[in-house]
């Protein structure tokens, strides 16, 4: 059994989807990031960066429990555990990992900033909105170009690179994206959206998420609370 400490965000859904795709037994334990659950001592013990998701696998590589944080690391671990969605040859694995790193270093942080300044920032700062919207469009352009050559990001096979990237593209409208400008990415998005494991994965904990209108939740997520020494 794998315990996944998570919340229904793009980073959380990466791992939910992977667990569903791999057919692994897991238990989803909600970490309400608007209520500050991510700062509890219990969660920090397995996720010292106070970010979801994190997992505890009772059957680790040596037969002993292992805990892991960082969604990309968790995807690599689960791919290694199951032999799925990473590639078979060294060339395939490294190609998958470069697109996974592209998501971790670019797609996630930059689309997150676009989403924040366009939707959640209390002050509408044109410079920030333009900067991150333009970067979102640039990243979608990279994805679209790659997908004009190959069915999936890392080539002919669906991999953890696609699993990592897809949840971030579900909020395309909030990021200022028009699918008409990225037809190859849209084809990829529709295909992945239709996968039954993906459809199950994006519903995990989804009934617990509430619209972010509460001032206390906004302060926990965006204010001084997250910067306090833990």
């Amino acid at each position: 059994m794998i315990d996944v400490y998570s919340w229904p965000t793009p980073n959380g859904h990466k791992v939910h989807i992977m667990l569903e795709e791999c057919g692994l037994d897991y238990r989803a334990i909600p970490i309400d990031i608007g209520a500050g659950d991510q700062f509890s001592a219990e969660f920090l013990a397995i996720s010292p960066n106070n970010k979801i998701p994190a997992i505890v696998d009772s059957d680790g590589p040596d037969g002993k429990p292992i805990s892991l944080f960082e969604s990309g690391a968790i995807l690599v671990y689960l791919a290694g555990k199951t032999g799925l969605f990473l590639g078979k040859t060294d060339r395939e694995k490294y190609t998958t990992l470069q697109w996974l790193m592209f998501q971790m270093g670019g797609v996630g942080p930059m689309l997150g900033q676009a989403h924040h300044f366009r939707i959640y920032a209390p002050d509408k700062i044109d410079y920030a909105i333009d900067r991150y919207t333009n970067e979102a469009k640039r990243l979608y352009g990279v994805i679209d170009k790659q997908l004009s050559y190959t069915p999936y990001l890392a080539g002919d096979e669906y991999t953890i690179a696609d699993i990592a990237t897809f949840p971030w593209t579900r909020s395309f409208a909030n990021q200022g994206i028009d699918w008409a400008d990225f037809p190859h990415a849209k084809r990829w998005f529709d295909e992945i959206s239709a996968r039954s494991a993906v459809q199950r994965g994006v519903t995990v904990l989804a009934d617990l998420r509430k619209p972010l209108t509460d001032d206390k939740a906004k302060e926990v997520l965006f204010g001084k609370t997250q910067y306090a020494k833990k």
Side-chain angles (χ1 to χ4, degrees):
M1 176 66 70
I2 295 175
D3 287 338
V4 53
Y5 297 80
S6 191
W7 196 243
T9 69
N11 284 332
H13 284 323
K14 293 179 196 176
V15 176
H16 309 158
I17 290 169
M18 182 64 170
L19 289 164
E20 289 288 344
E21 291 280 14
C22 293
L24 291 167
D25 290 331
Y26 71 95
R27 176 174 56 181
I29 300 169
I31 301 295
D32 186 340
I33 58 176
D37 292 355
Q38 67 273 34
F39 303 120
S40 71
E42 293 79 11
F43 185 67
L44 288 171
I46 60 172
S47 183
N49 193 34
N50 63 256
K51 303 293 184 182
I52 62 94
I55 67 167
V56 176
D57 184 359
S58 60
D59 182 23
D62 50 5
K64 299 177 183 178
I66 185 173
S67 66
L68 291 168
F69 69 103
E70 284 295 328
S71 58
I74 295 169
L75 292 180
V76 173
Y77 171 76
L78 294 175
K81 182 181 179 75
T82 60
L84 298 171
F85 306 120
L86 181 57
K88 300 301 183 185
T89 68
D90 286 346
R91 180 178 295 275
E92 290 171 346
K93 291 176 181 177
Y94 288 126
T95 301
T96 298
L97 288 173
Q98 74 174 352
W99 284 102
L100 176 64
M101 296 304 107
F102 166 77
Q103 187 283 310
M104 300 298 295
V107 170
M110 295 298 103
L111 298 191
Q113 293 291 350
H115 200 139
H116 177 79
F117 284 106
R118 291 173 59 89
I119 305 299
Y120 294 125
D123 299 316
K124 297 304 179 185
I125 305 169
D126 289 341
Y127 176 83
I129 292 170
D130 291 344
R131 173 178 172 81
Y132 290 112
T133 300
N134 287 335
E135 179 62 5
K137 292 178 180 179
R138 188 191 73 81
L139 290 165
Y140 273 83
V142 174
I143 292 169
D144 192 70
K145 185 174 182 180
Q146 174 65 9
L147 293 171
S148 72
Y149 303 136
T150 58
Y152 300 101
L153 287 172
D156 293 333
E157 302 294 331
Y158 176 73
T159 69
I160 56 174
D162 303 292
I163 292 171
T165 304
F166 169 78
W168 282 99
T169 62
R170 295 178 70 224
S171 296
F172 64 92
N174 286 344
Q175 299 153 7
I177 297 301
D178 183 345
W179 279 129
D181 297 327
F182 307 102
H184 305 291
K186 181 61 163 61
R187 181 268 307 162
W188 167 88
F189 178 86
D190 289 343
E191 182 175 333
I192 294 178
S193 297
R195 295 178 69 94
S196 58
V198 172
Q199 292 174 359
R200 293 192 302 272
V202 298
T203 66
V204 174
L205 302 176
D207 59 330
L208 300 180
R209 187 168 186 175
K210 302 177 288 292
L212 191 56
T213 56
D214 179 78
D215 288 340
K216 181 179 179 181
K218 289 182 180 179
E219 198 287 323
V220 168
L221 288 171
F222 309 134
K224 295 180 179 179
T225 298
Q226 65 177 316
Y227 303 117
K229 186 176 180 179
K230 305 298 186 294

